[in-house]
Amino acid sequence: MPYRKILVTSALPYANGPIHIGHLVEYIQTDIWVRFQKQRGHTCYYVCADDTHGTPIMLKADSLGISPEALIGQVWQEHLADFTEFGVAFDNYHSTHSEENKALSALIYRRLHDAGHISSRSITQAFDPVKNMFLPDRFIKGECPKCGAQDQYGDGCEVCGATYSPTELKNAVSAISGEKPIEKDSVHYFFDLGNFSDMLQNWTSAGHLQPEVANKMAEWLKGGLQQWDISRDAPYFGFEIPDAPGKYFYVWLDAPIGYMASFKNLCDKKDIDFNDFWSKDSDAELYHFIGKDIIYFHALFWPAMLTGAHFRTPSAVFAHGFLTVNGEKMSKSRGTFIKARTYLDHLNPEYLRYYFAAKLSAGVDDIDLNFDDFSQRVNSDLVGKVVNIASRCAGFIGKRFGGRLSATNAEPALFDEFINANEPIAELYETREFAKAMREIMALADKANAYIDDKKPWLLAKEDSKDQDLHEVCTMGLNLFRVLAAYLKPVLPVLVKEAELFLNVSSHSWINDIQFLGDHTINEFKPLMTRVDPDKIAAIVEASKETLEKTTDKPKPKQFEPIAPEIIIDDFAKLDLRVARIVKAEAIPEADKLLKLTVDIGDETRTVFAGIKSAYKPEELEGRLTVVLANLAPRKMKFGSSEGMVLAAGPGGKDIFVLSPDIGAVAGMRVK
């Protein structure tokens, strides 16, 4: 087996909130793969960091009355504690707010700039006049221009899936202050991604991506590559762009550079050659594990940036799907939006490590955490099959044979079958087909249990003449258990460490190095894993429930007006609704929403101010018939007196529809 040098990363968790079980799919998947590589004897480093920059961090720190540095320091400790307890063993866990990242971000930017890959121009952006800051798309909310859904972000609708620019939102407001954004110009810096079209065409089709991801990249490349805005205006928590005062690197520029920075921090501590892994001629392997929602950044921007800055590109980017719980998106109201810490307060983390492993494949499909399936699989596979082998045999060895195994390998063919499964199982681990690997391992566990069932050591123990048979059967059972433990070590490091202590053996390398354990003293057996307690699952769900009350910390766009007080038919009969012809329509320059209409209601003309400017140009209205409430008391306004009301309906913005009567109607006709 050739020796390999490998550097592995997981996506950087954002430092504005806790780790939840959806995040853990990725970190557990990566950790299993890394542990497998190390068990095989390769040099493999696993680095990660908190992603700490951007507007959300700045605003959250402000709302808490602390500095961004204090916030990210606290979150870093919480994240690392959660990861550690779930057995995610980083070689280095760093922060993007570091000197290494600052230096590397500046270096990469300067190389891109000097090579002609950076340009600048003035752009128009949404600006919050109350907070005196430019608004990222995610901090603008309004009505979806496609489906009309309320309270949608400025870059895409979570209801219909449409994407759009913030300027297309209807009734847009700042999610920070609730104020209507204004437009303001600012100079921004752009990475000319299109300069790397040919390079990306080749790289994305050369086996560095999963087939379904490569196909998606081909679609995006076919549509043409746009310039990427890599700058943000002050106030912003991040790194200032060299020679550009008041301009900061967009968080997505320095976040992936955080992979390099974390490794550089490790190199400085462990005397590792950084360039040996990152130079263009490096023979090391580089792998990124990410969620499918950030493929665009990792499969296009990142390799282009690295190429333009004269660094190596990734060997592969491995994307995974999302986690659903009980078949649905994680929900706070249902108690299925589960924080890592909440899970740790109640259940063994290795249950979840095994369950995810039993679900994960090399593809990007979503996986589901079904609580019933979770309990059944853990109880059946780990407790009922694997641990059961040890518990069925250990007592006899301890009580009848002084804790010493037989020197005889009574079933060499069976033992060899377990050992010879190592290459197929290793290939499944290597290709991230963890679910298939778990099935193969559990099939071996079934064979081990079938062997014990066939030999019936509990009956052999009743006959003194069968002591040798009993000794050999239980010795074989524990040897098979040892092989299974070695296969499961990447997934269940804590259980396997306890198994190694029980078996009195050194830490397991990969299985092909394992020899039959005979004439060997073992330690006292202690239960290695207990069954899942359903009450603990219920407690997790209950602890995860949140009351979805309306928050008052920031205004939200109106959704539906409450129903007005009830009226009777006599009240409605008081309304004098007339067909009116719009004789003249004029814009009011000082008014954002109003048009001045002169309407003929049959026996006279009236002046009416109508809030329909966003939907109609004045010339589109002249000559049209509409419905007017004629007996509405006049209302004095700064532009004059409004002598009625035009009836209109719709969600707002451009979708305001003046109510037009039948074509046969004439001005002055009463509407019954």
Side-chain angles (χ1 to χ4, degrees):
M1 182 173 59
Y3 167 73
R4 298 162 64 186
K5 294 185 302 183
I6 309 169
L7 176 59
V8 183
T9 75
S10 295
L12 313 184
Y14 202 45
N16 69 337
I19 302 300
H20 58 69
I21 59 172
H23 292 132
L24 288 168
V25 171
E26 178 173 313
Y27 301 97
I28 289 174
Q29 180 189 36
T30 316
D31 183 75
I32 290 171
W33 198 79
V34 168
R35 286 179 182 273
F36 164 73
Q37 300 298 347
K38 291 182 176 182
Q39 194 176 351
R40 295 275 275 182
H42 302 306
T43 294
C44 185
Y45 299 111
Y46 179 20
V47 301
C48 196
D50 264 4
D51 183 5
T52 59
H53 290 156
T55 302
I57 299 291
M58 179 182 69
L59 294 175
K60 182 168 184 178
D62 182 63
S63 70
L64 295 173
I66 59 177
S67 68
E69 289 82 359
L71 171 64
I72 64 175
Q74 174 185 325
V75 172
W76 182 90
Q77 292 180 328
E78 294 170 355
H79 283 182
L80 185 56
D82 289 348
F83 286 137
T84 300
E85 290 188 48
F86 268 100
V88 179
F90 301 112
D91 290 285
N92 198 54
Y93 193 73
H94 205 35
S95 167
T96 59
H97 194 64
S98 67
E99 287 303 315
E100 296 92 347
N101 202 26
K102 185 176 182 180
L104 284 165
S105 295
L107 173 65
I108 288 174
Y109 171 79
R110 285 195 175 99
R111 287 183 178 180
L112 294 174
H113 182 275
D114 293 346
H117 301 308
I118 303 293
S119 59
S120 63
R121 68 175 186 272
S122 182
I123 65 171
T124 302
Q125 293 176 276
F127 187 83
D128 188 323
V130 175
K131 287 292 186 179
N132 198 34
M133 62 180 288
F134 287 98
L135 292 169
D137 294 350
R138 300 289 285 181
F139 284 86
I140 305 169
K141 286 196 170 184
E143 300 165 21
C144 172
K146 309 294 184 185
C147 73
Q150 308 282 328
D151 205 26
Q152 297 304 305
Y153 292 111
D155 57 354
C157 178
E158 294 182 336
V159 176
C160 71
T163 57
Y164 41 76
S165 68
T167 56
E168 295 179 89
L169 271 183
K170 299 173 184 177
N171 300 321
V173 297
S174 165
I176 303 170
S177 69
E179 188 71 17
K180 179 181 178 181
I182 63 173
E183 293 185 346
K184 192 172 181 179
D185 292 342
S186 175
V187 173
H188 272 229
Y189 292 80
F190 295 83
F191 175 47
D192 293 323
L193 189 61
N195 294 355
F196 298 88
S197 293
D198 291 342
M199 171 261 158
L200 290 170
Q201 289 276 7
N202 294 329
W203 188 84
T204 57
S205 60
H208 301 292
L209 306 172
Q210 294 134 297
E212 57 268 58
V213 174
N215 292 338
K216 190 63 179 178
M217 293 303 105
E219 291 178 21
W220 284 341
L221 287 164
K222 187 177 180 180
L225 297 173
Q226 305 299 314
Q227 288 185 318
W228 180 35
D229 189 345
I230 61 168
S231 67
R232 293 295 184 266
D233 293 277
Y236 193 80
F237 182 58
F239 296 139
E240 201 165 29
I241 298 175
D243 305 319
K247 305 293 180 180
Y248 290 79
F249 286 128
Y250 174 42
V251 61
W252 262 111
L253 182 127
D254 67 61
I257 298 173
Y259 300 141
M260 303 173 75
S262 183
F263 185 63
K264 181 66 167 64
N265 182 258
L266 177 66
C267 290
D268 293 342
K269 291 187 289 190
K270 300 290 186 179
D271 195 27
I272 303 167
D273 187 347
F274 177 83
N275 291 323
D276 202 23
F277 286 80
W278 285 101
S279 66
K280 289 184 70 174
D281 58 354
S282 169
D283 62 352
E285 301 170 47
L286 170 63
Y287 300 103
H288 300 305
F289 285 74
I290 62 166
K292 63 183 179 181
D293 55 329
I294 53 175
I295 287 172
Y296 198 98
F297 294 98
H298 284 80
L300 294 180
F301 295 151
W302 181 229
M305 283 171 54
L306 289 168
T307 299
H310 311 299
F311 287 106
R312 57 89 47 84
T313 52
S315 305
V317 175
F318 300 137
H320 62 82
F322 300 138
L323 178 71
T324 58
V325 179
N326 291 339
E328 298 179 341
K329 185 177 178 180
M330 289 192 295
S331 164
K332 292 182 180 180
S333 61
R334 293 188 182 95
T336 56
F337 190 95
I338 300 168
K339 297 175 185 176
R341 181 54 49 184
T342 305
Y343 179 100
L344 289 167
D345 287 341
H346 296 89
L347 285 177
N348 183 340
E350 296 215 323
Y351 293 163
L352 194 65
R353 287 181 65 97
Y354 176 74
Y355 188 76
F356 283 168
K359 293 285 217 173
L360 281 163
S361 71
V364 295
D365 296 332
D366 295 346
I367 66 171
D368 184 55
L369 168 58
N370 178 281
F371 289 132
D372 291 337
D373 181 49
F374 171 84
S375 298
Q376 189 277 332
R377 196 177 294 252
V378 170
N379 292 342
S380 173
D381 290 0
L382 298 186
V383 181
K385 293 181 181 180
V386 178
V387 172
N388 189 48
I389 298 168
S391 63
R392 297 173 85 181
C393 299
F396 294 120
I397 296 293
K399 293 175 183 176
R400 298 287 286 268
F401 307 106
R404 194 156 187 86
L405 299 177
S406 168
T408 304
N409 180 352
E411 299 283 346
L414 180 61
F415 183 76
D416 288 347
E417 181 183 354
F418 273 54
I419 296 296
N420 293 337
N422 85 87
E423 285 305 325
I425 291 174
E427 180 63 18
L428 293 173
Y429 269 120
E430 178 67 41
T431 55
R432 307 174 323 284
E433 293 287 0
F434 297 163
K436 292 180 180 179
M438 296 308 104
R439 287 198 291 272
E440 292 296 321
I441 295 167
M442 289 307 138
L444 291 175
D446 287 337
K447 288 183 178 181
N449 278 292
Y451 167 77
I452 295 170
D453 289 340
D454 180 60
K455 298 299 182 180
K456 298 179 174 54
W458 55 91
L459 295 182
L460 296 174
K462 295 179 179 180
E463 301 180 44
D464 292 340
S465 62
K466 300 290 186 179
D467 268 8
Q468 183 176 346
D469 292 340
L470 175 65
H471 200 187
E472 291 175 355
V473 167
C474 291
T475 295
M476 176 56 62
L478 291 180
N479 268 275
L480 299 181
F481 168 73
R482 181 194 181 195
V483 177
L484 293 171
Y487 282 132
L488 288 168
K489 188 171 183 177
V491 180
L492 304 169
V494 174
L495 183 146
V496 174
K497 184 176 181 179
E498 292 174 353
E500 290 168 347
L501 291 172
F502 153 61
L503 293 170
N504 194 25
V505 295
S506 58
S507 181
H508 284 126
S509 59
W510 191 243
I511 290 79
N512 53 339
D513 293 331
I514 290 180
Q515 301 296 318
F516 182 81
L517 198 63
D519 195 23
H520 173 84
T521 301
I522 62 173
N523 294 314
E524 181 185 356
F525 178 77
K526 297 177 181 177
L528 297 173
M529 182 172 281
T530 58
R531 297 172 66 84
V532 178
D533 183 347
D535 290 342
K536 297 290 183 67
I537 292 178
I540 288 174
V541 172
E542 188 60 33
S544 300
K545 286 183 178 177
E546 293 185 14
T547 303
L548 301 182
E549 298 174 346
K550 292 182 179 179
T551 58
T552 56
D553 56 340
K554 58 188 178 187
K556 288 188 175 182
K558 291 182 179 179
Q559 297 192 21
F560 296 100
E561 296 290 346
I563 296 174
E566 193 175 77
I567 64 172
I568 60 175
I569 190 65
D570 291 340
D571 296 319
F572 188 76
K574 297 176 183 178
L575 304 179
D576 185 355
L577 300 174
R578 300 277 186 97
V579 175
R581 183 177 300 279
I582 301 173
V583 179
K584 187 176 182 181
E586 305 170 74
I588 304 172
E590 320 84 290
D592 292 334
K593 298 181 180 180
L594 295 179
L595 291 179
K596 180 181 179 181
L597 306 180
T598 301
V599 296
D600 178 3
I601 61 171
D603 51 2
E604 62 177 301
T605 59
R606 299 271 187 91
T607 298
V608 177
F609 293 99
I612 56 176
K613 189 175 184 178
S614 62
Y616 296 97
K617 296 178 181 179
E619 59 270 22
E620 296 174 343
L621 292 170
E622 292 182 0
R624 291 182 63 171
L625 296 177
T626 187
V627 177
V628 170
L629 178 58
N631 64 333
L632 183 67
R635 180 186 177 192
K636 289 187 177 181
M637 307 176 71
K638 63 184 290 187
F639 315 109
S641 180
S642 184
E643 302 167 314
M645 177 184 290
V646 170
L647 270 63
K654 293 182 180 180
D655 294 335
I656 298 175
F657 310 107
V658 170
L659 300 184
S660 299
D662 293 339
I663 194 67
V666 296
M669 180 181 294
R670 295 286 293 270
V671 179
K672 300 292 187 181

